[in-house]
Amino acid sequence: MLGYDLRDEPWIPVRLRSGEQRRFGFRELLRRAHEIADLELPVPPAASGLLRILAVMTASIGGQRGMRLDGTGTARDAASWYALRQRVLDQGLFDPEAVDSYFDDPSRSGRFDLFSDDYPFLQDPRLLKECVDSKGAPNPSGVNKLVFGRPTGINGAVLFGHFTDSEPIPVPAAEAAWHLIAQLYFGPSGQCTPRRITEERAGSGDAAPLRKSISYFPWAPELFTTLVLAVPSPQTGADREAQDFAAWEGELLHPLKPLPPLTSPRRLLTGRFRHAVLLMPSADRRTVTDAYITWSTHDKPAPVWDPFQILDRRKKGEFQPREADGARALWRDLDSLLLKDSRRDVQRPPALEYLPRSLRSQLRVRAYGFDQDGQQKDSVWFQATTPPVLQWQEEADRAMAYHVRSCHTAAEKAGERLEFAAMVAWRIASDSGTDISPKAKIKIDRRKPGPWAGAARSLYWPAAEREFWKLAAPQEAAAPVERPFVRAALDCLDEAIGPANRADIRVARARNRARAILLGLLPRPAAD
């Protein structure tokens, strides 16, 4: 029967270093990884998951003299593993024979077919019999449920297209593969299509492992180096000695039995899914017409630190992955990517540890985030890339790492103070009963901030980013950093309040009071 073989079907959009845009399957992508400048998947959550999948493949393919980055051979201790990684990097490309050997291994026969009857890629064929209604008839979730951005059910809002469950539009197989990956890594929690395994017809599931998170990858000028650097090192904490299967290898797990322990790299990167999906193809296998999406396990997730995530300490003291925020630019995370884990409240992604010294000046950071809540709401996804900044990591350039942190801290303080000052100004201007004497305390109601705070905030952060990148240069490492951000905040405050010639005396006083609050951030000149 016809299939859709992800090894050779052109389903991954890429941009070559020559500028040419192409689509490759797994095999061609890895064989020509040294020629590829960037992935161009239009669904960033899918790109975030795809990089984890490719890292697992890279670990099995990348190696030398019988030793592989997945621990095969003797490269199990950290020192020998990093030495092996350097030798793989020095090769500059994947061995084409090793790529073919991986994909043509008889043990993986049929495992990369999107519509295989027995082992559809990253899917569970049992759902066809288990997702049924009370009469035993098929009970699919609908193709709209598969595609992020499409409305589903009777309450789904029409935001990105006029799709309805009564008139579903098939999805090309390549795009269905993108959304399959995105669902497995970023899918929702809560009610889902029921799955009948026992007498109980359970229809509720857990959130996917990367839901509402942001991932950071060291990003090289070509994909080959990016993928080699994405392979988790032996220091990730997951078990590298136990038998390790990727999600497309081994047998299907029983949904009611405990999960096997996490191993590295395969189960660490592809074995934490909480959803089970099955795609239903058209007769010619070129489109997906329907889909089943339900839970895959209710076993408690194993605690693990994903190698591409920043951990932040929360109020109760535990560390949790940093959450994606669609309104927060990547430069505001930069100090967390440069400074080592010696700090108390932030831990750098393991993927950014022990980077080759010879590559640091070329490496950027690519972030993929999906601003969601923990259940069903999806707000915005995004991707962003920094300039080459990893030569400023603390272990390589301590002065620049701490200078970047000082810049970020100054920018955050000015932003917070600007918002407060704008609320104070609005209170003075709008409430004639407010005491505006210089020593009087102005009480603000954060539930009623007025229009100036939001306007000033939206103006400030782009301006602060411009100032940040001016300061984030080695020749500015000793420069004072507060004044440029305060100056930017003052300009944004003025623009938010409006032209001075339209202001009445009360607005003028409000403006002056707000400016004084901002100027209070500047360090006082040293006494003579």
Side-chain angles (χ1 to χ4, degrees):
M1 182 176 289
L2 293 174
Y4 192 90
D5 192 336
L6 296 174
R7 294 175 300 180
D8 300 312
E9 292 281 357
W11 66 282
I12 306 173
V14 302
R15 176 169 48 82
L16 301 180
R17 301 181 75 180
S18 63
E20 184 182 2
Q21 293 177 310
R22 298 284 299 275
R23 285 195 179 201
F24 291 147
F26 280 134
R27 188 195 307 270
E28 196 70 359
L29 182 136
L30 290 170
R31 288 172 66 108
R32 301 182 63 179
H34 57 289
E35 301 177 40
I36 297 172
D38 207 342
L39 296 173
E40 294 201 322
L41 275 174
V43 184
S48 185
L50 177 63
L51 279 166
R52 287 169 169 83
I53 293 168
L54 292 173
V56 169
M57 296 176 178
T58 297
S60 297
I61 293 168
Q64 193 182 59
R65 300 172 186 169
M67 293 191 294
R68 300 290 173 192
L69 293 172
D70 61 2
T72 303
T74 59
R76 292 182 180 275
D77 64 276
S80 60
W81 188 89
Y82 284 116
L84 173 62
R85 185 180 71 173
Q86 186 58 55
R87 294 199 297 275
V88 173
L89 288 170
D90 291 342
Q91 292 172 351
L93 73 170
F94 292 116
D95 178 359
E97 292 185 3
V99 174
D100 288 340
S101 295
Y102 177 81
F103 287 112
D104 297 335
D105 189 304
S107 69
R108 300 187 183 93
S109 177
R111 299 299 181 108
F112 298 101
D113 186 344
L114 195 62
F115 304 130
S116 165
D117 291 333
D118 298 323
Y119 296 103
F121 185 71
L122 295 180
Q123 300 162 68
D124 189 336
R126 297 170 296 190
L127 302 190
L128 198 61
K129 296 181 178 178
E130 295 174 354
C131 292
V132 294
D133 62 19
S134 58
K135 298 180 180 178
N139 182 31
S141 311
V143 71
N144 289 346
K145 185 71 173 177
L146 171 72
V147 180
F148 278 99
R150 284 190 180 185
T152 58
I154 59 174
N155 294 321
V158 180
L159 296 177
F160 305 109
H162 293 276
F163 303 96
T164 66
D165 283 349
S166 61
E167 193 176 2
I169 298 175
V171 185
E175 296 181 23
W178 307 344
H179 288 279
L180 164 66
I181 294 171
Q183 286 285 351
L184 292 174
Y185 283 99
F186 291 90
S189 63
Q191 293 297 312
C192 61
T193 298
R195 184 175 188 178
R196 187 185 295 276
I197 298 178
T198 62
E199 291 302 316
E200 185 178 354
R201 189 165 168 263
S204 179
D206 302 329
L210 301 185
R211 188 164 181 84
K212 68 179 181 177
S213 71
I214 181 170
S215 302
Y216 306 86
F217 297 86
W219 207 257
E222 30 69 37
L223 187 62
F224 167 76
T225 303
T226 298
L227 293 181
V228 174
L229 295 180
V231 178
S233 76
Q235 297 178 332
T236 53
D239 189 350
R240 293 181 75 88
E241 303 295 331
Q243 195 171 21
D244 192 15
F245 289 108
W248 53 89
E249 300 171 335
E251 297 302 315
L252 294 168
L253 300 177
H254 194 292
L256 299 180
K257 293 184 177 179
L259 294 172
L262 284 181
T263 54
S264 179
R266 296 181 179 87
R267 286 193 54 75
L268 173 67
L269 297 182
T270 69
R272 299 164 53 208
F273 302 141
R274 313 297 292 181
H275 292 76
V277 181
L278 180 62
L279 306 180
M280 305 306 296
S282 59
D284 63 0
R285 308 271 166 155
R286 307 311 295 174
T287 63
V288 169
T289 59
D290 208 341
Y292 295 82
I293 304 175
T294 184
W295 56 274
S296 65
T297 178
H298 288 132
D299 196 27
K300 186 177 180 180
V304 65
W305 184 3
D306 184 283
F308 310 108
Q309 292 181 334
I310 292 174
L311 297 187
D312 291 317
R313 190 187 295 275
R314 302 297 167 82
K315 291 182 179 179
K316 295 183 179 179
E318 79 283 12
F319 281 96
Q320 294 289 332
R322 179 164 295 182
E323 295 184 1
D325 181 349
R328 181 184 172 92
L330 178 56
W331 66 271
R332 295 172 68 183
D333 294 337
L334 200 55
D335 53 345
S336 299
L337 304 174
L338 298 182
L339 294 171
K340 292 191 290 189
D341 294 341
S342 55
R343 292 173 302 154
R344 293 180 55 194
D345 299 326
V346 181
Q347 294 189 356
R348 187 166 70 185
L352 298 183
E353 302 284 355
Y354 303 103
L355 295 173
R357 184 175 302 176
S358 60
L359 290 176
R360 279 205 181 105
S361 62
Q362 307 172 37
L363 296 177
R364 299 171 290 165
V365 178
R366 167 68 57 83
Y368 292 105
F370 199 172
D371 190 338
Q372 307 169 286
D373 70 5
Q375 297 182 327
Q376 298 282 338
K377 181 181 178 183
D378 300 327
S379 297
V380 62
W381 60 48
F382 56 89
Q383 76 172 51
T385 310
T386 69
V389 293
L390 292 178
Q391 74 271 27
W392 299 337
Q393 283 190 309
E394 183 179 354
E395 55 269 45
D397 191 336
R398 180 181 173 84
M400 273 303 294
Y402 279 87
H403 175 63
V404 167
R405 185 178 73 167
S406 298
C407 293
H408 177 220
T409 301
E412 294 288 341
K413 285 183 177 177
E416 292 175 8
R417 188 69 68 90
L418 171 62
E419 197 164 344
F420 173 73
M423 287 190 283
V424 169
W426 175 252
R427 181 63 186 267
I428 293 173
S430 62
D431 185 355
S432 59
T434 302
D435 181 359
I436 59 174
S437 58
K439 294 186 178 179
K441 290 186 177 179
I442 308 296
K443 292 184 179 180
I444 60 171
D445 184 351
R446 292 189 177 274
R447 295 171 300 178
K448 300 176 182 177
W452 294 340
R457 183 176 59 240
S458 63
L459 292 166
Y460 172 74
W461 286 113
E465 181 170 8
R466 290 192 290 273
E467 297 299 332
F468 176 85
W469 288 116
K470 289 179 189 174
L471 288 166
Q475 64 270 23
E476 302 289 342
V481 298
E482 292 84 2
R483 189 170 296 277
F485 295 108
V486 171
R487 187 172 58 234
L490 289 169
D491 292 343
C492 296
L493 176 72
D494 286 342
E495 189 170 346
I497 293 178
N501 58 1
R502 294 184 181 178
D504 62 18
I505 186 64
R506 196 163 191 90
V507 173
R509 288 172 176 166
R511 185 197 307 272
N512 289 338
R513 183 64 174 269
R515 290 178 67 87
I517 292 172
L518 281 169
L519 291 170
L521 280 177
L522 295 178
R524 294 183 179 180
D528 294 335

